[in-house]
Amino acid sequence: MNLSKLSVNRPVTVIMFYMALAVLGAFAFIRLAIDLLPKLEPPAISVVTIYPGASAEEVEQKVTKPIEEEVSTINNVSKVTSNSKDNISIITVSFSWGTDIAEATNDIRDAIDRVKRNLPDDAQEPSIFKFSTSTLPVMIIGINSSESFPGINKIIEDKIAQPLRQVPGVGAVFAIGGPQREILIKVDPKKLEAYNLTIPQLAQILKTENFSLPAGIIKVGMKEYNVRVPGEFKSIDEIKSTVIGNYQGALVYLKDVADVIDTIKEQTLYVKINNTPGVLLFIQKQATANTIEVVEAVKKILPKIEKTLPRDVKLNIAFDSSEFIRNSIRNLNNAIIYGAIFVILVVLFFLRKVRASLIIILTIPFSLIVAFITLYLIGGTINLISLSSLAIAVGIVVDNAIVVLENITRHIERGENPKTASVIGANEVGLAILASSLTNIAVFFPLAFLTGIAGFLFKELGILVTVMVLTSLFASLTLTPTLSSKWLRKQEKLKNKFLSKFFETSEKMVPFN
C-alpha cells in the first residue's frame, strides 16, 4: 500500500486522523499522574514478628529460624536474610527480578500460616511489608504543642488524621514520636505474697476481666439483635476494684496489692520541632494518585483543620515532595521547550521557507502527543525518566520530515505538479528514512526489555523514544506529503505569478527588435 499516495488523495481523512490524535493526547495528558520517578516495586518482601520480652537468641531460635526454613521453599526466592534483635525478628525475602510480587506475597502468607502453630504463644502475628515508591510519604507535617502535648495523639487522630484521610488521593496517615498512654500497675511484692498470689496470676486475671464477650442473638419479630457483654475497663477505678482473689473469706482487690497509675509510656523516640517536643505526621498517597495534586489538596485543607485545634497546637510542613518534583519537572520542561525552539530555528535557517519549516515542525507536537497516549496506556507517569525521553527524541523526530520535504521540494523546482511531486518525492526516500528510523529503534528499543534496576530506570525511555521515532516516520510519509501538496502549491503559484509580472514589465521596458 502506497501511504503517501493514499494520504495525498485523502487530505481530509489525514487531517481528521491527526486532529483525533490531538484530542486523545490531550485526554491522556490531563489524566497522567506526575511523580518524581516511575513506580518501583523491588522484588523483596519483609516479614516482621514481635516477640515481647524475648532476648535476641530466643527470637532467633524460636521465631526467625522456623520462618526462614519455611519461606526458603517458595519458588523464585533468590536470597533470604534475617536480623534477630531483642523482642523483634525481621526477615527479608528477595525474589528474582520479574517475579509477580502479588503472587509472591500470597506464597509468603501461606508459608507463615503453615509455620504459625510452631511459633511461641506470646509471639504476635507476623506482619508482611512490601516496599514501593508509592508508599513513600509525599508530605510530612510537624506538630508541636505546649499544654496539650500529653493528649496530642488523641487530637491528631480525631481532628487531623481523620479529615486528611478523606482528601482525594490520600492513602494513609500515621504519626510517630507522640506520647503513648500507659496504665502502670506497681505491685507491692510483700502484699502480693501475703495473699498467696503471683505476678502471672495477676496478669491472667486482668486479661480475663478486660474482655468483651458476644452473647448470641435475640429475635424480636422480624428483627435480630446481636447481644454483647461488655467487660473492658472504662476507668482507673474499675481497674483498682478488680477482684484478684479471696483470702480468709474476704475479697482481695487489685488496689490492695498494687498502685494503679494513669501515666505516659516511657519514650524511646523523640521528635523536636522548633526546640519543643512534637510529633511527625506522615502522609502517603494512593498508588495511582498525582503527587502534586494530593499535596495541593492537603495544603488547602490544613487552614481549616488548624481552626479546630487548640490554640497551642501548631502545624508546620517539614517535608513537601512536590517542591522537588516541581523543580525537576520545570527544568526538564524548559529543556524540552528550548530544544524544540532551537530545532525550529535551525530548520528555518537552512530551509529559509516559513511554510516548509512549519510542515516539518508539526512532526514534533504529534510525536509528543502519541508519546503521552502511550504513557497513559502503559500506566506510566510524567516523571524525570519519561520527560528525559521526550527531550532526547525532540531533535530526532524532525529528521525524516526534513528528508522527505527536501526531496519533494526538489521535484517541484523541476516543474512537477506539487501533488505528483509529493507522492514521488516521499516514495523515493521512503526506504531511506525507514532504514534511518530502524537504526534509532535498534538502539533504544532493547532498553524496554532490561531487567533489574536498569529496567526500572530505562524501560520508559526505550518505549517512548521508539514510539516517537515510529510516529515521526509515519507522519513523514502521510502528513508531510499531504501538507506539501497543499501549501507548497500556493508558493508555486505565487512564484509563477511573480515571474509572469516580471517578464511583462521587462517586455514593456525593453522592446524586442
Side-chain angles (χ1 to χ4, degrees):
M1 182 176 64
N2 193 326
L3 273 178
S4 302
K5 185 177 180 179
L6 183 65
S7 302
V8 171
N9 292 333
R10 300 285 188 275
V12 176
T13 303
V14 173
I15 299 302
M16 293 303 295
F17 172 76
Y18 281 96
M19 292 301 294
L21 273 184
V23 173
L24 290 174
F27 174 85
F29 180 76
I30 292 171
R31 283 160 177 76
L32 281 173
I34 300 176
D35 216 333
L36 182 62
L37 292 170
K39 185 179 178 181
L40 171 64
E41 284 191 350
I45 299 173
S46 296
V47 180
V48 180
T49 308
I50 306 296
Y51 186 11
S55 65
E57 186 177 355
E58 287 179 318
V59 169
E60 182 179 6
Q61 294 296 327
K62 297 182 179 180
V63 177
T64 302
K65 283 189 175 181
I67 296 177
E68 265 188 338
E69 291 172 359
E70 195 65 39
V71 299
S72 297
T73 61
I74 298 174
N75 292 332
N76 298 322
V77 172
S78 61
K79 184 172 65 173
V80 179
T81 58
S82 63
N83 189 3
S84 300
K85 297 181 179 180
D86 292 347
N87 307 319
I88 187 169
S89 165
I90 302 174
I91 300 172
T92 302
V93 185
S94 300
F95 294 86
S96 304
W97 282 93
T99 303
D100 187 344
I101 203 68
E103 184 179 345
T105 303
N106 292 332
D107 292 340
I108 286 183
R109 191 174 287 111
D110 294 340
I112 290 174
D113 288 339
R114 292 193 296 269
V115 78
K116 256 192 314 190
R117 60 179 179 270
N118 298 327
L119 298 180
D121 294 336
D122 295 338
Q124 297 181 8
E125 182 86 10
S127 301
I128 299 175
F129 295 95
K130 293 187 297 182
F131 174 78
S132 172
T133 51
S134 60
T135 62
L136 296 175
V138 297
M139 197 173 186
I140 301 176
I141 300 175
I143 306 171
N144 59 342
S145 170
S146 54
E147 298 176 1
S148 306
F149 188 71
I152 194 70
N153 281 343
K154 180 69 173 174
I155 296 173
I156 290 173
E157 180 61 29
D158 294 345
K159 297 188 176 183
I160 302 177
Q162 287 296 339
L164 288 178
R165 291 190 184 105
Q166 298 173 12
V167 174
V170 172
V173 181
F174 60 93
I176 64 169
Q180 301 290 332
R181 186 185 182 189
E182 180 181 58
I183 306 299
L184 181 63
I185 300 177
K186 298 181 69 173
V187 179
D188 187 332
K190 294 182 179 180
K191 291 182 179 179
L192 197 65
E193 186 180 357
Y195 289 113
N196 295 325
L197 295 172
T198 62
I199 295 292
Q201 288 177 327
L202 192 62
Q204 184 61 40
I205 292 169
L206 291 174
K207 182 178 180 180
T208 304
E209 291 292 327
N210 189 36
F211 181 72
S212 294
L213 181 69
I217 298 174
I218 295 178
K219 292 185 178 180
V220 179
M222 300 295 293
K223 296 183 179 180
E224 292 184 352
Y225 298 93
N226 291 321
V227 179
R228 187 174 64 90
V229 180
E232 295 179 352
F233 297 128
K234 295 182 179 179
S235 65
I236 296 296
D237 291 334
E238 286 187 9
I239 300 175
K240 291 179 179 179
S241 301
T242 302
V243 177
I244 60 173
N246 187 301
Y247 184 74
Q248 295 181 355
L251 297 176
V252 180
Y253 299 95
L254 180 62
K255 58 186 178 182
D256 296 330
V257 298
D259 294 329
V260 181
I261 305 170
D262 189 354
T263 184
I264 294 175
K265 189 177 181 180
E266 183 180 357
Q267 285 186 255
T268 56
L269 176 65
Y270 295 91
V271 174
K272 281 200 171 185
I273 301 169
N274 297 328
N275 293 324
T276 59
V279 179
L280 289 179
L281 188 70
F282 291 82
I283 301 173
Q284 296 174 336
K285 71 178 183 68
Q286 296 173 356
T288 58
N290 188 317
T291 299
I292 294 178
E293 290 181 357
V294 171
V295 172
E296 287 299 321
V298 170
K299 287 182 179 179
K300 188 175 180 181
I301 200 175
L302 283 181
K304 298 178 182 178
I305 293 175
E306 286 181 319
K307 293 178 180 178
T308 66
L309 301 176
R311 292 183 179 180
D312 62 311
V313 178
K314 303 297 180 183
L315 305 182
N316 304 280
I317 297 177
F319 171 73
D320 180 0
S321 64
S322 68
E323 291 183 1
F324 182 71
I325 294 174
R326 276 197 189 92
N327 293 333
S328 303
I329 298 298
R330 188 184 300 114
N331 291 336
L332 271 173
N333 282 339
N334 292 338
I336 294 173
I337 293 171
Y338 291 145
I341 290 173
F342 285 120
V343 167
I344 292 169
L345 291 176
V346 170
V347 170
L348 282 170
F349 177 77
F350 284 98
L351 294 181
R352 299 177 185 177
K353 297 175 183 178
V354 175
R355 291 190 179 185
S357 301
L358 185 59
I359 293 172
I360 295 172
I361 292 163
L362 283 175
T363 310
I364 297 175
F366 282 114
S367 298
L368 294 175
I369 285 168
V370 176
F372 288 131
I373 295 173
T374 304
L375 201 58
Y376 177 77
L377 293 177
I378 65 176
T381 60
I382 297 175
N383 52 66
L384 295 182
I385 304 300
S386 58
L387 287 179
S388 299
S389 309
L390 304 185
I392 291 171
V394 161
I396 300 176
V397 295
V398 296
D399 295 347
N400 295 331
I402 290 174
V403 174
V404 172
L405 186 69
E406 274 297 300
N407 201 42
I408 292 172
T409 304
R410 182 173 63 86
H411 281 276
I412 292 176
E413 289 175 350
R414 288 180 176 180
E416 294 181 15
N417 180 279
K419 186 174 182 179
T420 305
S422 298
V423 176
I424 296 174
N427 288 338
E428 284 181 347
V429 297
L431 190 60
I433 62 174
L434 175 62
S436 174
S437 299
L438 290 178
T439 56
N440 289 322
I441 292 172
V443 173
F444 289 101
F445 189 56
L447 298 178
F449 299 98
L450 291 176
T451 58
I453 194 69
F456 155 69
L457 290 174
F458 299 114
K459 183 177 181 180
E460 284 186 358
L461 188 148
I463 293 174
L464 293 181
V465 173
T466 300
V467 167
M468 291 181 71
V469 171
L470 289 175
T471 303
S472 72
L473 174 64
F474 183 77
S476 65
L477 295 175
T478 56
L479 184 63
T480 301
T482 301
L483 296 179
S484 298
S485 67
K486 298 297 180 182
W487 290 0
L488 295 187
R489 178 188 300 171
K490 294 181 180 179
Q491 288 188 345
E492 185 67 19
K493 286 183 177 179
L494 289 173
K495 181 180 178 182
N496 292 336
K497 187 176 181 181
F498 172 76
L499 291 175
S500 63
K501 286 186 177 181
F502 175 77
F503 285 121
E504 278 182 22
T505 306
S506 300
E507 289 176 1
K508 290 179 181 179
M509 292 177 63
V510 184
F512 292 96
N513 292 327

